[in-house]
Amino acid sequence: MRRETLRLLAQVEKQGLDIAEAYRHGYEISAQFTDFKRFIEKVDHFYVFIDLVEERLPGFDGDKRQSLTRHLADIRWRITIVEVDTTQIFLVRIGETRKPWPLGSREFLQRRLSRLGDIADYYDQFGERYQLTPLSDVMLRAVENLLKAQIELAPALADFSDYAASYMVPTGDAVRPQDMALRLDRGGRRRAPQPKAPPRLPPPPFRVREMEGRFYAERDGIVAVSEVCRNANFSLDQLASRMGVSRPTLVLMLNGSDPMTRPMMEQLQSFLDKNGHI
């Protein structure tokens, strides 16, 4: 177990260095939303990975465990600094170019705004204990103000039609009202057909296999469960809390790396059955 934990720690260190190197001084970040979203996905994956290693530290003796805990806190905080800095760079660049935000990006930006509170809470809890370098209050306020400004411009899923009419269409391609031709049916009061929203696809099936009374999810289980959670406006963190496990533990089970007991599998299946149908 200790050897496996140290191996995972080495992977965390490499992953952290790769992120820091790739995004140092704003490298790899343009004014494209997809670039920034890809960065956030990498950072979120890193945090899940480092949580997994931290969960295994109690297997070490006191001094060694404390040393590793402090080392992980330092790595996590270094990536957090990169996260905040890269967020600021991206928001400044997209603000300068005035690029339109894609549908649903308001919710994404609101999560980034909430993330600033999580970062502040983490520093309040561990900053002094592990002598972490404090983030500049000026920078945090600047990122907060940039996020709030862009949230006002970003379309939420509920109001995308208004946004598409007023902001998403480039000015040069807009159709002026006086150039539009209305064809009315003089013989009746039938309303023009409204465009239908694209149908939502059902989530992929969640499959498990049983081995010696334990249940293992197929490797695409994380995709199936994440899709159901998204449709139900339910996060993996909330699902993990409901099941009485941590998020890293849930991710390992959904990837088929760790087994589930029958009660846990039945609880998960009940959640999927309730929320997985469209």
Side-chain angles (χ1 to χ4, degrees), residues 168-189:
M168 287 292 289
V169 179
T171 304
D173 298 333
V175 179
R176 295 175 299 173
Q178 59 268 32
D179 294 334
M180 297 177 63
L182 294 179
R183 300 179 181 274
L184 302 179
D185 182 0
R186 297 180 180 274
R189 295 183 179 181

Side-chain angles (χ1 to χ4, degrees), residues 11-255:
Q11 293 182 26
V12 165
E13 292 173 337
K14 182 181 184 306
Q15 190 174 359
L17 287 173
D18 290 343
I19 292 174
E21 184 65 26
Y23 293 95
R24 183 177 300 168
H25 306 307
Y27 297 158
E28 301 292 334
I29 285 293
S30 65
Q32 296 291 335
F33 175 74
T34 52
D35 286 347
F36 182 62
K37 189 171 184 292
R38 189 180 302 115
F39 164 74
I40 294 300
E41 289 171 349
K42 288 181 180 180
V43 170
D44 286 347
H45 183 270
F46 168 81
Y47 290 141
V48 170
F49 204 8
I50 204 170
D51 286 344
L52 173 62
V53 177
E54 287 183 339
E55 281 194 342
R56 301 190 176 196
L57 293 185
F60 291 87
D61 296 333
D63 291 342
K64 182 66 173 178
R65 182 173 66 252
Q66 291 180 8
S67 175
L68 290 175
T69 300
R70 179 170 182 170
H71 181 53
L72 284 174
D74 183 66
I75 296 175
R76 182 194 295 271
W77 191 246
R78 289 175 185 271
I79 298 305
T80 299
I81 293 175
V82 174
E83 177 188 352
V84 174
D85 185 52
T86 302
T87 299
Q88 181 184 35
I89 291 172
F90 167 73
L91 291 171
V92 169
R93 288 177 178 174
I94 198 170
E96 290 173 345
T97 60
R98 302 183 62 83
K99 287 182 178 291
W101 291 94
L103 301 181
S105 54
R106 177 174 296 183
E107 289 81 1
F108 177 86
L109 292 175
Q110 286 172 336
R111 289 195 294 272
R112 304 324 306 164
L113 186 60
S114 298
R115 170 67 182 147
L116 294 181
D118 296 338
I119 290 172
D121 291 342
Y122 183 86
Y123 184 81
D124 289 343
Q125 185 174 359
F126 300 108
E128 184 175 351
R129 183 189 308 179
Y130 299 124
Q131 299 179 338
L132 303 176
T133 303
L135 282 165
S136 166
D137 289 338
V138 174
M139 173 184 282
L140 288 175
R141 283 196 298 270
V143 175
E144 179 181 359
N145 291 334
L146 287 168
L147 281 168
K148 289 179 177 178
Q150 292 302 323
I151 285 173
E152 293 299 319
L153 300 176
L157 290 175
D159 62 359
F160 67 89
S161 58
D162 294 338
Y163 181 85
S166 63
Y167 186 71
M168 287 292 289
V169 179
T171 304
D173 298 333
V175 179
R176 295 175 299 173
Q178 59 268 32
D179 294 334
M180 297 177 63
L182 294 179
R183 300 179 181 274
L184 302 179
D185 182 0
R186 297 180 180 274
R189 295 183 179 181
R190 292 172 296 178
R191 300 176 64 180
Q194 299 296 318
K196 295 182 178 180
R200 290 168 57 190
L201 298 177
F206 178 74
R207 296 180 291 266
V208 297
R209 65 185 188 279
E210 183 178 1
M211 293 179 60
E212 300 180 352
R214 298 268 180 165
F215 296 87
Y216 292 82
E218 297 293 337
R219 289 198 173 273
D220 59 352
I222 183 68
V223 177
V225 175
S226 296
E227 187 64 26
V228 171
C229 286
R230 187 177 301 111
N231 291 339
N233 293 321
F234 209 76
S235 69
L236 279 179
D237 290 312
Q238 291 172 310
L239 179 58
S241 178
R242 173 180 291 188
M243 297 179 63
V245 298
S246 66
R247 177 191 171 103
T249 298
L250 178 61
V251 169
L252 285 175
M253 291 191 297
L254 297 180
N255 280 332

